[in-house]
Amino acid sequence: MRRKPPRSAMSHVLQNLLLKRRYNDQAFVTLATNDNYAKGAMVLGKSLQNHKTSRKLAVLIGPHVSEPFRAVLHKIFDEVRLVDVLDSGDTANLTLMKRPDLGVTLTKLHCWTLTHYSKCVFMDADTMVLSNVDELFDREELSAAPDPGWPDCFNSGVFVFRPSNETYNKLLRYCSEHGSFDGGDQGILNGFFNNWATADISKHLPFLYNLSSIAIYSYLPAFKQYGGNAKVVHFLGKTKPWSYMYDTRVKQVKGNIQEAATHPGFLLRWWDLFSRVVVPMLSEQHGDRHFFSGCVVDDLEVGMSQLHVSHPELPPLSSEERKQRWEQGQADYLGMDSFENIQKKLDSFLK
């Protein structure tokens, strides 16, 4: 006989259902153009659910997201919408940034077509919430946090917006007439909402709503002072959390750490949620407990004890190459340039 949940638990569930009904026209929105980013969207969705959001969850997907991944997304998100992939075609700037993959991020503009919602918060699939952030819906379009690379620009990984077909068409027209100064969606959105830096300070989200992994190391004292209050972590850079290897037996992240750009503690939290919740959902959908797209089970004797994407071993970096990676925000943050090593140098310098 199934036991009834405690009254307090039932009250919490009822309260959450009532809130979801009240805010039925508001949603957190993300984008997955392929299976890899679908993994990130799944972790983001589950992290929002774990922190008891009262808003709906919606994900835009591209045609390259496979059926097993779509099925799991349907289990996590209230709405899964297939959209066409937009591409800036700005190869010059994308090459300059060494990020040719960013062209398809213009597909993000489709979020303005979700006009059955009155207000939304967009979050990149490489973000993860660390606490409830429903208060973001108290902000107006276009509210966003400053980008660590150029603080007079906002980072487009987290922003508040109001869906509108009129705005969507204006954005497309802007793309056609002006392009993007960085080849991606961030250049488009900063060009279009070009008074963000000066017009209304209430549209400047605190940095803790979009804590850039790169900024942790560029201003370590501030991270030590305020980092514990972070609400959203953003895994910036080319190497994403799903690009690593994770050993569930010892709960360690391994793999090619040369291009890492995040704090290991955040990576561990991402992988813990991914391995405990998302991987079983993917395996169940595929009908194979050892299945995991893009990853390999090293030891079938222990099930999914080690999940990873393999990377070739890289030769040691010269001091000049290491300097260049620092300047590009791609330092070896889990190795030679780890948080602990930087802290030791900083403490030594302060003494």
Side-chain angles (χ1 to χ4, degrees):
M1 182 176 179
R2 176 176 290 180
R3 297 174 60 184
K4 292 183 179 180
R7 181 173 297 179
S8 59
M10 291 184 66
S11 298
H12 184 80
V13 171
L14 289 173
Q15 183 181 17
N16 207 43
L17 288 173
L18 288 172
L19 285 172
K20 281 186 177 291
R21 183 174 297 179
R22 178 183 176 187
Y23 299 116
N24 199 42
D25 65 339
Q26 297 181 347
F28 286 99
V29 181
T30 190
L31 168 68
T33 53
N34 55 42
D35 284 354
N36 279 330
Y37 278 87
K39 301 170 194 173
M42 292 168 190
V43 170
L44 171 61
K46 294 305 295 186
S47 69
L48 284 163
Q49 290 176 346
N50 288 349
H51 292 292
K52 311 300 181 186
T53 180
S54 59
R55 269 62 173 190
K56 286 195 167 183
L57 304 182
V59 58
L60 307 176
I61 64 169
H64 297 304
V65 177
S66 66
E67 287 301 327
F69 282 78
R70 295 187 191 193
V72 174
L73 288 170
H74 275 285
K75 291 183 178 181
I76 298 174
F77 289 83
D78 299 293
E79 179 178 3
V80 179
R81 174 176 290 200
L82 179 65
V83 296
D84 295 328
V85 174
L86 302 176
D87 196 325
S88 70
D90 191 348
T91 55
N93 277 323
L94 292 173
T95 300
L96 182 67
M97 296 171 64
K98 300 182 179 180
R99 293 296 303 280
D101 55 304
L102 289 180
V104 296
T105 60
L106 289 186
T107 307
K108 184 184 297 187
L109 301 183
H110 281 294
C111 68
W112 268 273
T113 67
L114 300 173
T115 53
H116 48 296
Y117 300 118
S118 64
K119 187 186 291 186
C120 296
V121 174
F122 185 91
M123 303 186 73
D124 276 347
D126 59 351
T127 62
M128 179 178 65
V129 302
L130 308 174
S131 64
N132 185 287
V133 291
D134 285 359
E135 67 273 14
L136 287 174
F137 288 89
D138 295 334
R139 306 279 183 148
E140 285 301 327
E141 182 180 83
L142 188 291
S143 292
D147 188 85
W150 194 264
D152 278 345
C153 292
F154 58 83
N155 183 277
S156 60
V158 178
F159 60 85
V160 183
F161 71 101
R162 287 190 177 274
S164 161
N165 285 323
E166 180 183 0
T167 303
Y168 175 68
N169 289 326
K170 286 181 178 179
L171 281 164
L172 292 184
R173 192 178 310 123
Y174 183 91
C175 289
S176 173
E177 295 176 357
H178 303 282
S180 169
F181 66 74
D182 67 355
D185 66 276
Q186 186 157 304
I188 288 290
L189 293 177
N190 273 277
F192 186 81
F193 296 99
N194 57 16
N195 65 349
W196 172 86
T198 57
D200 187 352
I201 192 63
S202 69
K203 294 182 179 180
H204 288 220
L205 296 182
F207 192 59
L208 296 175
Y209 286 99
N210 190 352
L211 180 63
S212 157
S213 50
I214 293 174
I216 291 171
Y217 294 91
S218 62
Y219 195 8
L220 185 60
F223 175 71
K224 291 172 65 177
Q225 178 71 18
Y226 304 112
N229 299 320
K231 290 177 174 288
V232 179
V233 61
H234 191 178
F235 298 98
L236 287 175
K238 186 175 182 179
T239 306
K240 302 301 181 184
W242 52 84
S243 301
Y244 296 94
M245 176 170 62
Y246 181 70
D247 190 331
T248 59
R249 291 173 296 187
V250 294
K251 297 187 182 301
Q252 288 184 350
V253 176
K254 303 177 181 179
N256 179 4
I257 60 176
Q258 293 279 353
E259 295 182 352
T262 190
H263 188 271
F266 293 135
L267 268 179
L268 283 172
R269 291 179 70 165
W270 190 96
W271 264 102
D272 177 67
L273 181 55
F274 183 66
S275 61
R276 285 189 301 102
V277 181
V278 175
V279 169
M281 294 176 73
L282 285 167
S283 301
E284 179 183 1
Q285 182 61 38
H286 192 266
D288 179 358
R289 68 186 296 265
H290 297 310
F291 165 77
F292 184 71
S293 180
C295 292
V296 177
V297 180
D298 283 341
D299 186 355
L300 298 182
E301 294 291 325
V302 292
M304 292 187 177
S305 63
Q306 290 186 336
L307 306 172
H308 72 88
V309 175
S310 60
H311 296 277
E313 291 294 326
L314 296 179
L317 294 176
S318 66
S319 58
E320 182 62 28
E321 289 173 326
R322 188 178 171 206
K323 177 183 175 183
Q324 289 177 357
R325 286 186 180 273
W326 263 101
E327 293 172 347
Q328 296 167 6
Q330 296 179 346
D332 183 9
Y333 293 131
L334 296 182
M336 186 181 299
D337 304 313
S338 69
F339 180 87
E340 291 76 13
N341 288 339
I342 295 174
Q343 187 174 23
K344 288 177 182 177
K345 288 184 179 292
L346 181 64
D347 291 341
S348 175
F349 174 77
L350 293 175
K351 288 178 181 179

